[in-house]
Amino acid sequence: MRWLIALLLLAFPVAAEEVVLGLSQDEIAITTSFDGSEIFVFGAVKREAPIPEGELGVIVTIAGPSVPVTVRRKERRFGIWVNTDGVEIESAPSYYAVATSANLDEVLSVRENLRHKVSVPSMIQSVSAPNTVLDASAYVSALIRIRENSGNFQLLEGKVVVDDETLFRTRIRLPAALTEGAYETRIFLTRDGNIVSQYETAIDVRKVGLERWLHSLSRNQPVVYGLMSLAIAIFAGWSASAAFSLLRN
């Protein structure tokens, strides 16, 4: 029996370090007044032995639901801007943030990055381009640049604070334009660029109240939603015209 237990321990070694995680909130409600949210991620490193050798790194990622994306090039023709060639991206996260305790290339090796898909470019998969497109990577770079400018892609190097190689914390800002769904949250512990422990959870993002009702109405009864939008536009126009007439008199 003892030799069997020893074999099992060798086959399934106990992790030297594990993540104990906390989130300021695991649900986000999108209302008509929603203008974004800030997630406070904090945790500790649980150990059953003395601190191992090597530099400790902590990486926190939050990924929104992945969706297909078409990226098109715009060119000026006959005095107007028109869409020309396009590249189909099968899967790209609607939101993605990476926060690290140091520069990403210092806390994570290239091999581990490819294996676990941590960096922003590694999360974009299956690019399909027509024969007229010679450099599909330029379209991927354009998508990343556009979403970085809008705050939907974030690389927050050095934003994870680590105290005494045990406690860590960071804040990640989520923009107002969020896609509904589960936002996968991952925490990696690294030593000398190699991942030694990983923890996963999810943040649920949902529309509620009037925002939820309008969203459901637009999807389930588009005719009613269109007529209601038209009526509101007409009423708003009439109200503005009446107010202007009163001011003039």
Side-chain angles (χ1 to χ4, degrees), residues 67-71 87-93 123-128 136 139-141 143-144:
V67 293
V69 181
T70 301
V71 182
V87 168
E88 302 287 339
I89 297 175
E90 182 179 321
S91 177
M123 292 293 291
I124 299 175
Q125 305 171 8
S126 302
V127 178
S128 176
Y139 289 76
V140 175
S141 299
L143 174 65
I144 293 174

Side-chain angles (χ1 to χ4, degrees), residues 182-208:
Y183 281 60
E184 180 185 355
T185 303
R186 299 181 297 170
I187 291 83
F188 300 96
L189 298 183
T190 68
R191 288 282 179 187
D192 293 332
N194 298 312
I195 294 175
V196 297
S197 181
Q198 176 180 351
Y199 183 91
E200 295 185 8
T201 185
I203 301 170
D204 189 45
V205 176
R206 298 290 177 208
K207 292 184 174 71
V208 297

Side-chain angles (χ1 to χ4, degrees), residues 11 53 87 224:
E53 295 183 356
V87 168
V224 175

Side-chain angles (χ1 to χ4, degrees), residues 39-103:
I39 301 296
F40 181 45
V41 182
F42 58 95
V45 182
K46 178 183 177 182
R47 299 185 179 93
E48 301 294 340
I51 297 176
E53 295 183 356
E55 190 70 24
L56 173 68
V58 180
I59 303 172
V60 179
T61 72
I62 299 180
S66 292
V67 293
V69 181
T70 301
V71 182
R72 298 190 181 277
R73 184 194 301 274
K74 284 191 174 183
E75 293 184 0
R76 192 175 182 84
R77 295 181 178 178
F78 306 107
I80 60 174
W81 289 97
V82 296
N83 291 326
T84 56
D85 296 325
V87 168
E88 302 287 339
I89 297 175
E90 182 179 321
S91 177
S94 55
Y95 170 86
Y96 191 63
V98 183
T100 63
S101 56
N103 291 339

Side-chain angles (χ1 to χ4, degrees), residues 153-154 215:
F153 284 174
Q154 302 177 42
H215 180 269

Side-chain angles (χ1 to χ4, degrees), residues 10 14 17 30 36 68 77 119 128 216 236 241:
L10 289 174
V14 177
E17 297 177 292
I30 301 177
R77 295 181 178 178
S119 65
S128 176
S216 299
S241 177

Side-chain angles (χ1 to χ4, degrees), residues 92-127:
S94 55
Y95 170 86
Y96 191 63
V98 183
T100 63
S101 56
N103 291 339
L104 183 59
D105 57 1
E106 294 178 6
V107 297
L108 190 67
S109 67
V110 174
R111 177 178 58 84
E112 292 283 60
N113 180 34
L114 293 175
R115 179 184 175 190
H116 293 273
K117 301 186 186 303
V118 175
S119 65
V120 172
S122 67
M123 292 293 291
I124 299 175
Q125 305 171 8
S126 302
V127 178

